[in-house]
Protein backbone atom coordinates (compact mmCIF):
# COMPACT_ATOMS: atom_id res chain seq x y z
CA UNK A 1 0.00 0.00 0.00
CA UNK A 2 1.41 3.38 -1.03
CA UNK A 3 1.33 6.57 1.08
CA UNK A 4 -1.83 7.89 -0.63
CA UNK A 5 -3.68 4.62 -0.19
CA UNK A 6 -2.56 4.42 3.46
CA UNK A 7 -3.99 7.87 4.23
CA UNK A 8 -7.23 7.05 2.43
CA UNK A 9 -7.51 3.73 4.25
CA UNK A 10 -7.04 5.30 7.67
CA UNK A 11 -9.45 8.14 6.97
CA UNK A 12 -12.29 6.16 5.46
CA UNK A 13 -12.13 3.42 8.10
CA UNK A 14 -12.20 6.07 10.83
CA UNK A 15 -15.24 7.75 9.28
CA UNK A 16 -17.01 4.37 9.05
CA UNK A 17 -16.89 4.08 12.83
CA UNK A 18 -18.92 7.29 13.10
CA UNK A 19 -21.16 7.05 10.02
CA UNK A 20 -21.36 3.92 7.89
CA UNK A 21 -23.44 5.57 5.13
CA UNK A 22 -21.08 8.55 4.90
CA UNK A 23 -18.03 6.31 4.68
CA UNK A 24 -19.86 4.12 2.17
CA UNK A 25 -20.57 7.10 -0.05
CA UNK A 26 -16.90 8.06 0.12
CA UNK A 27 -15.74 4.53 -0.67
CA UNK A 28 -18.16 4.32 -3.62
CA UNK A 29 -16.89 7.62 -5.05
CA UNK A 30 -13.26 6.60 -4.59
CA UNK A 31 -13.94 3.19 -6.14
CA UNK A 32 -14.70 4.94 -9.46
CA UNK A 33 -11.86 7.46 -9.31
CA UNK A 34 -8.50 6.57 -10.91
CA UNK A 35 -5.70 7.79 -8.65
CA UNK A 36 -3.40 8.24 -11.66
CA UNK A 37 -3.94 9.35 -15.25
CA UNK A 38 -1.76 7.77 -17.94
CA UNK A 39 0.06 10.12 -20.30
CA UNK A 40 0.49 9.41 -23.98
CA UNK A 41 3.89 7.88 -24.72
CA UNK A 42 6.22 9.49 -27.26
CA UNK A 43 5.98 6.34 -29.40
CA UNK A 44 2.19 6.74 -29.59
CA UNK A 45 1.95 10.41 -30.52
CA UNK A 46 2.51 10.26 -34.28
CA UNK A 47 -0.10 7.55 -34.77
CA UNK A 48 -2.70 9.32 -32.64
CA UNK A 49 -2.01 12.66 -34.29
CA UNK A 50 -3.20 11.05 -37.54
CA UNK A 51 -6.52 9.88 -36.07
CA UNK A 52 -9.87 11.55 -36.62
CA UNK A 53 -10.70 12.86 -33.15
CA UNK A 54 -14.17 13.31 -31.66
CA UNK A 55 -15.97 13.31 -28.33
CA UNK A 56 -18.91 11.72 -26.56
CA UNK A 57 -20.70 13.47 -23.70
CA UNK A 58 -21.52 11.27 -20.75
CA UNK A 59 -22.84 12.56 -17.42
CA UNK A 60 -21.44 16.03 -18.03
CA UNK A 61 -17.99 14.69 -18.98
CA UNK A 62 -16.38 14.24 -22.39
CA UNK A 63 -14.85 10.97 -23.53
CA UNK A 64 -12.36 11.44 -26.38
CA UNK A 65 -12.72 9.19 -29.44
CA UNK A 66 -10.14 8.31 -32.10
CA UNK A 67 -10.73 6.78 -35.52
CA UNK A 68 -8.56 5.62 -38.38
CA UNK A 69 -10.26 4.75 -41.67
CA UNK A 70 -13.68 5.60 -43.03
CA UNK A 71 -15.68 3.79 -40.36
CA UNK A 72 -16.36 0.72 -42.52
CA UNK A 73 -15.58 -2.72 -41.06
CA UNK A 74 -15.03 -1.20 -37.62
CA UNK A 75 -12.90 -2.74 -34.89
CA UNK A 76 -13.30 -1.22 -31.42
CA UNK A 77 -10.42 -1.16 -28.91
CA UNK A 78 -11.46 -0.69 -25.25
CA UNK A 79 -8.87 0.29 -22.63
CA UNK A 80 -8.77 -0.60 -18.96
CA UNK A 81 -8.44 1.20 -15.62
CA UNK A 82 -5.87 4.01 -15.35
CA UNK A 83 -5.11 3.44 -19.03
CA UNK A 84 -6.03 5.06 -22.36
CA UNK A 85 -6.81 4.20 -25.96
CA UNK A 86 -3.24 4.84 -27.11
CA UNK A 87 -2.05 1.71 -25.30
CA UNK A 88 -3.45 -0.23 -28.28
CA UNK A 89 -1.06 1.50 -30.71
CA UNK A 90 0.64 -1.75 -31.71
CA UNK A 91 -2.68 -3.18 -32.96
CA UNK A 92 -3.72 -0.28 -35.18
CA UNK A 93 -1.38 -0.70 -38.22
CA UNK A 94 -2.16 -4.40 -38.57
CA UNK A 95 -5.91 -3.85 -38.32
CA UNK A 96 -5.74 -1.13 -40.96
CA UNK A 97 -3.73 -3.46 -43.20
CA UNK A 98 -6.54 -6.01 -42.90
CA UNK A 99 -8.96 -3.40 -44.26
CA UNK A 100 -10.62 -2.44 -40.98
CA UNK A 101 -11.40 0.95 -39.61
CA UNK A 102 -10.13 1.27 -36.04
CA UNK A 103 -11.93 3.09 -33.23
CA UNK A 104 -10.81 3.65 -29.67
CA UNK A 105 -11.42 6.20 -26.91
CA UNK A 106 -10.31 7.64 -23.59
CA UNK A 107 -13.02 7.11 -20.98
CA UNK A 108 -13.83 9.91 -18.48
CA UNK A 109 -11.06 10.29 -15.94
CA UNK A 110 -8.58 8.69 -18.34
CA UNK A 111 -6.19 9.91 -21.02
CA UNK A 112 -7.32 13.17 -22.62
CA UNK A 113 -10.93 12.85 -21.45
CA UNK A 114 -12.44 15.21 -18.90
CA UNK A 115 -13.71 14.28 -15.45
CA UNK A 116 -12.11 12.51 -12.53
CA UNK A 117 -14.10 9.29 -12.43
CA UNK A 118 -15.95 6.76 -14.54
CA UNK A 119 -18.23 3.74 -14.08
CA UNK A 120 -19.11 0.59 -15.94
CA UNK A 121 -22.35 2.34 -16.97
CA UNK A 122 -20.36 5.14 -18.61
CA UNK A 123 -18.38 2.52 -20.54
CA UNK A 124 -21.74 1.09 -21.62
CA UNK A 125 -22.93 4.52 -22.79
CA UNK A 126 -19.76 5.15 -24.80
CA UNK A 127 -19.86 1.73 -26.46
CA UNK A 128 -23.55 2.14 -27.27
CA UNK A 129 -22.92 5.55 -28.84
CA UNK A 130 -20.07 4.19 -30.97
CA UNK A 131 -22.27 1.23 -31.94
CA UNK A 132 -24.97 3.67 -33.06
CA UNK A 133 -22.39 5.52 -35.17
CA UNK A 134 -20.64 2.56 -36.80
CA UNK A 135 -22.99 -0.39 -36.49
CA UNK A 136 -21.99 -3.92 -35.52
CA UNK A 137 -18.27 -4.12 -34.87
CA UNK A 138 -16.27 -6.62 -36.89
CA UNK A 139 -14.36 -7.17 -33.68
CA UNK A 140 -14.10 -5.76 -30.18
CA UNK A 141 -10.72 -5.98 -28.44
CA UNK A 142 -10.68 -5.07 -24.76
CA UNK A 143 -8.11 -4.98 -21.97
CA UNK A 144 -8.54 -5.41 -18.21
CA UNK A 145 -11.61 -3.56 -16.87
CA UNK A 146 -12.46 -2.74 -20.48
CA UNK A 147 -13.29 -6.41 -21.03
CA UNK A 148 -15.82 -6.47 -18.18
CA UNK A 149 -17.32 -3.18 -19.37
CA UNK A 150 -17.52 -4.46 -22.94
CA UNK A 151 -19.30 -7.68 -22.02
CA UNK A 152 -21.76 -5.68 -19.94
CA UNK A 153 -22.45 -3.43 -22.96
CA UNK A 154 -22.81 -6.53 -25.16
CA UNK A 155 -25.70 -7.66 -22.95
CA UNK A 156 -27.38 -4.28 -23.50
CA UNK A 157 -27.55 -4.22 -27.31
CA UNK A 158 -23.99 -3.59 -28.50
CA UNK A 159 -22.98 -6.18 -31.11
CA UNK A 160 -19.59 -7.52 -32.24
CA UNK A 161 -18.79 -10.44 -34.55
CA UNK A 162 -15.62 -11.40 -32.66
CA UNK A 163 -14.46 -10.55 -29.15
CA UNK A 164 -10.98 -10.49 -27.63
CA UNK A 165 -10.41 -10.16 -23.88
CA UNK A 166 -6.80 -9.43 -22.89
CA UNK A 167 -5.95 -9.56 -19.18
CA UNK A 168 -9.68 -9.28 -18.68
CA UNK A 169 -11.79 -8.98 -15.54
CA UNK A 170 -14.52 -11.61 -15.39
CA UNK A 171 -16.33 -10.73 -12.15
CA UNK A 172 -17.26 -7.26 -10.89
CA UNK A 173 -17.07 -8.68 -7.37
CA UNK A 174 -13.35 -9.28 -8.00
CA UNK A 175 -12.87 -5.51 -8.34
CA UNK A 176 -14.76 -4.83 -5.12
CA UNK A 177 -12.74 -7.45 -3.27
CA UNK A 178 -9.44 -6.11 -4.61
CA UNK A 179 -10.38 -2.51 -3.76
CA UNK A 180 -11.40 -3.37 -0.21
CA UNK A 181 -8.34 -5.55 0.29
CA UNK A 182 -5.96 -2.86 -1.01
CA UNK A 183 -7.42 -0.24 1.34
CA UNK A 184 -7.97 -2.75 4.16
CA UNK A 185 -11.54 -1.63 4.56
CA UNK A 186 -13.59 -2.91 7.49
CA UNK A 187 -16.12 -5.69 6.66
CA UNK A 188 -19.03 -3.37 7.44
CA UNK A 189 -17.70 -0.83 4.96
CA UNK A 190 -17.30 -3.50 2.30
CA UNK A 191 -20.94 -4.47 2.80
CA UNK A 192 -21.96 -0.82 2.46
CA UNK A 193 -19.93 -0.46 -0.75
CA UNK A 194 -21.40 -3.67 -2.20
CA UNK A 195 -24.93 -2.44 -1.46
CA UNK A 196 -24.24 0.85 -3.24
CA UNK A 197 -22.79 -0.98 -6.24
CA UNK A 198 -25.95 -3.04 -6.53
CA UNK A 199 -28.30 -0.08 -6.11
CA UNK A 200 -26.48 2.35 -8.42
CA UNK A 201 -24.93 0.14 -11.11
CA UNK A 202 -27.10 -2.96 -11.33
CA UNK A 203 -30.60 -2.00 -10.17
CA UNK A 204 -33.15 -4.73 -10.69
CA UNK A 205 -30.56 -7.44 -11.18
CA UNK A 206 -31.50 -10.80 -9.61
CA UNK A 207 -29.69 -11.53 -6.37
CA UNK A 208 -27.73 -14.37 -7.99
CA UNK A 209 -26.61 -12.03 -10.79
CA UNK A 210 -25.40 -9.11 -8.72
CA UNK A 211 -22.90 -7.73 -9.26
CA UNK A 212 -22.35 -8.40 -12.97
CA UNK A 213 -20.10 -11.22 -14.17
CA UNK A 214 -19.07 -12.12 -17.71
CA UNK A 215 -20.64 -15.52 -16.98
CA UNK A 216 -24.00 -13.71 -17.08
CA UNK A 217 -23.35 -12.75 -20.71
CA UNK A 218 -23.03 -16.25 -22.16
CA UNK A 219 -26.58 -16.34 -23.54
CA UNK A 220 -26.64 -12.80 -24.95
CA UNK A 221 -23.18 -12.99 -26.55
CA UNK A 222 -22.98 -15.59 -29.30
CA UNK A 223 -19.77 -14.44 -31.02
CA UNK A 224 -16.50 -16.41 -30.78
CA UNK A 225 -14.23 -15.21 -27.98
CA UNK A 226 -10.44 -15.19 -27.71
CA UNK A 227 -9.02 -14.85 -24.19
CA UNK A 228 -5.38 -13.85 -23.66
CA UNK A 229 -3.96 -13.71 -20.13
CA UNK A 230 -0.51 -13.81 -18.58
CA UNK A 231 0.40 -16.20 -15.76
CA UNK A 232 2.40 -13.43 -14.10
CA UNK A 233 -0.34 -10.80 -14.19
CA UNK A 234 0.05 -9.09 -10.84
CA UNK A 235 -3.10 -6.99 -11.21
CA UNK A 236 -5.81 -9.28 -12.60
CA UNK A 237 -5.37 -12.92 -11.62
CA UNK A 238 -5.22 -15.67 -14.22
CA UNK A 239 -8.38 -17.16 -12.73
CA UNK A 240 -10.30 -14.21 -14.17
CA UNK A 241 -9.15 -15.13 -17.67
CA UNK A 242 -10.14 -18.74 -17.09
CA UNK A 243 -13.54 -17.52 -15.90
CA UNK A 244 -14.15 -15.61 -19.13
CA UNK A 245 -13.13 -18.60 -21.26
CA UNK A 246 -15.29 -20.99 -19.23
CA UNK A 247 -18.34 -18.73 -19.63
CA UNK A 248 -18.40 -19.38 -23.38
CA UNK A 249 -17.37 -23.03 -23.38
CA UNK A 250 -16.42 -24.20 -26.88
CA UNK A 251 -17.00 -20.73 -28.36
CA UNK A 252 -13.91 -19.50 -26.52
CA UNK A 253 -10.23 -20.38 -26.66
CA UNK A 254 -7.55 -19.19 -24.28
CA UNK A 255 -3.92 -18.27 -24.84
CA UNK A 256 -1.76 -18.15 -21.71
CA UNK A 257 1.52 -16.25 -21.80
CA UNK A 258 4.26 -15.85 -19.21
CA UNK A 259 6.50 -12.97 -18.17
CA UNK A 260 4.42 -10.20 -19.75
CA UNK A 261 2.45 -9.01 -16.74
CA UNK A 262 -0.70 -6.93 -16.99
CA UNK A 263 0.40 -4.12 -19.31
CA UNK A 264 3.34 -5.35 -21.39
CA UNK A 265 1.05 -7.97 -22.90
CA UNK A 266 -0.52 -5.28 -25.13
CA UNK A 267 2.80 -4.63 -26.84
CA UNK A 268 3.98 -8.20 -27.24
CA UNK A 269 4.41 -9.04 -30.98
CA UNK A 270 3.14 -12.62 -30.57
CA UNK A 271 0.01 -11.47 -28.77
CA UNK A 272 -0.63 -8.79 -31.40
CA UNK A 273 -0.21 -11.34 -34.20
CA UNK A 274 -2.54 -13.82 -32.50
CA UNK A 275 -5.24 -11.17 -32.09
CA UNK A 276 -4.88 -10.04 -35.72
CA UNK A 277 -5.13 -13.66 -36.84
CA UNK A 278 -8.32 -14.08 -34.85
CA UNK A 279 -9.84 -10.83 -36.11
CA UNK A 280 -8.89 -11.71 -39.70
CA UNK A 281 -10.22 -15.27 -39.65
CA UNK A 282 -12.91 -15.09 -37.01
CA UNK A 283 -11.95 -18.42 -35.50
CA UNK A 284 -10.80 -18.66 -31.90
CA UNK A 285 -9.46 -22.15 -32.57
CA UNK A 286 -7.32 -20.94 -35.47
CA UNK A 287 -5.92 -18.07 -33.44
CA UNK A 288 -5.15 -20.35 -30.53
CA UNK A 289 -3.24 -22.92 -32.56
CA UNK A 290 -1.31 -20.26 -34.43
CA UNK A 291 -0.42 -18.34 -31.27
CA UNK A 292 0.61 -21.50 -29.45
CA UNK A 293 3.47 -21.98 -31.89
CA UNK A 294 4.51 -18.36 -31.53
CA UNK A 295 4.33 -18.21 -27.73
CA UNK A 296 6.01 -21.52 -26.92
CA UNK A 297 9.23 -19.74 -26.05
CA UNK A 298 7.62 -17.18 -23.79
CA UNK A 299 8.00 -19.20 -20.57
CA UNK A 300 11.80 -18.91 -20.97
CA UNK A 301 11.67 -15.18 -21.63
CA UNK A 302 13.08 -12.79 -19.06
CA UNK A 303 10.17 -11.84 -16.76
CA UNK A 304 9.14 -8.21 -16.76
CA UNK A 305 7.37 -6.27 -14.07
CA UNK A 306 3.77 -5.16 -14.39
Amino acid sequence: MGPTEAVVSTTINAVSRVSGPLAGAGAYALFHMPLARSAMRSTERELFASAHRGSIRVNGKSAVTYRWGTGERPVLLVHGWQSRGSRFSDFVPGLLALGHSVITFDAPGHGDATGRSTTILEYQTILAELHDQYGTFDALVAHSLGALGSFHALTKGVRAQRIVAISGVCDFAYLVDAFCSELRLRPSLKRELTARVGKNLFPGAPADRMPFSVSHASEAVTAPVLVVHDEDDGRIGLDQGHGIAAAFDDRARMITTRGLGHRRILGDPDVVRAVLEFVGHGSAATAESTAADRTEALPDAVPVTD
Side-chain angles (χ1 to χ4, degrees):
M1 183 186 298
T4 301
E5 289 81 1
V7 171
V8 170
S9 174
T10 300
T11 302
I12 204 165
N13 277 306
V15 172
S16 72
R17 297 178 187 277
V18 178
S19 173
L22 180 61
Y28 181 79
L30 187 63
F31 180 68
H32 293 107
M33 188 180 298
L35 296 180
R37 186 184 290 252
S38 296
M40 188 174 292
R41 297 168 181 161
S42 58
T43 55
E44 301 166 348
R45 288 178 186 144
E46 183 177 356
L47 175 65
F48 272 70
S50 69
H52 174 82
R53 186 165 165 150
S55 65
I56 294 175
R57 294 289 292 175
V58 51
N59 293 332
K61 299 169 283 190
S62 291
V64 178
T65 62
Y66 308 90
R67 190 195 75 221
W68 296 264
T70 61
E72 297 179 352
R73 301 187 61 203
V75 172
L76 179 62
L77 309 175
V78 184
H79 72 76
W81 194 245
Q82 294 184 345
S83 189
R84 57 186 298 144
S86 62
R87 295 299 182 258
F88 285 101
S89 290
D90 289 321
F91 292 85
V92 175
L95 290 168
L96 292 174
L98 289 173
H100 295 285
S101 296
V102 182
I103 300 104
T104 190
F105 63 90
D106 296 338
H110 295 74
D112 290 347
T114 65
R116 296 184 60 197
S117 65
T118 196
T119 70
I120 193 173
L121 297 184
E122 291 181 349
Y123 266 74
Q124 177 189 325
T125 298
I126 294 166
L127 266 65
E129 176 65 27
L130 292 171
H131 185 265
D132 288 344
Q133 289 182 37
Y134 299 107
T136 298
F137 300 110
D138 275 21
L140 190 159
V141 182
H143 178 243
S144 193
L145 173 68
L148 184 70
S150 295
F151 278 109
H152 187 255
L154 288 163
T155 68
K156 303 297 182 180
V158 172
R159 295 289 176 262
Q161 295 178 358
R162 290 169 291 284
I163 302 160
V164 181
I166 304 174
S167 309
V169 178
C170 179
D171 306 308
F172 197 94
Y174 180 89
L175 300 177
V176 176
D177 289 344
F179 176 80
C180 293
S181 177
E182 175 68 19
L183 294 184
R184 300 175 186 171
L185 299 187
R186 301 172 65 215
S188 61
L189 189 48
K190 181 178 179 179
R191 290 192 294 272
E192 178 73 23
L193 174 60
T194 300
R196 288 177 182 272
V197 164
K199 177 182 177 181
N200 297 332
L201 301 183
F202 309 107
D208 63 343
R209 294 202 165 198
M210 204 298 295
F212 177 74
S213 168
V214 172
S215 62
H216 303 158
S218 59
E219 295 179 2
V221 179
T222 59
V225 177
L226 177 65
V227 179
V228 186
H229 215 108
D230 194 79
E231 292 181 1
D232 302 313
D233 191 324
R235 190 170 183 120
I236 305 300
L238 182 62
D239 63 303
Q240 291 292 291
H242 283 302
I244 295 173
F248 299 96
D249 197 20
D250 60 357
R251 286 187 283 123
R253 294 295 182 272
M254 184 167 180
I255 298 171
T256 303
T257 61
R258 184 180 298 170
L260 297 176
H262 187 68
R263 297 183 179 90
R264 289 284 188 91
I265 196 168
L266 288 178
D268 180 74
D270 291 316
V271 170
V272 172
R273 280 193 292 267
V275 172
L276 293 177
E277 179 96 22
F278 174 68
V279 171
H281 292 83
S283 167
T286 299
E288 181 192 45
S289 61
T290 302
D293 295 336
R294 291 171 175 158
T295 59
E296 261 181 359
L298 285 180
D300 297 324
V302 176
V304 295
T305 56
D306 234 5

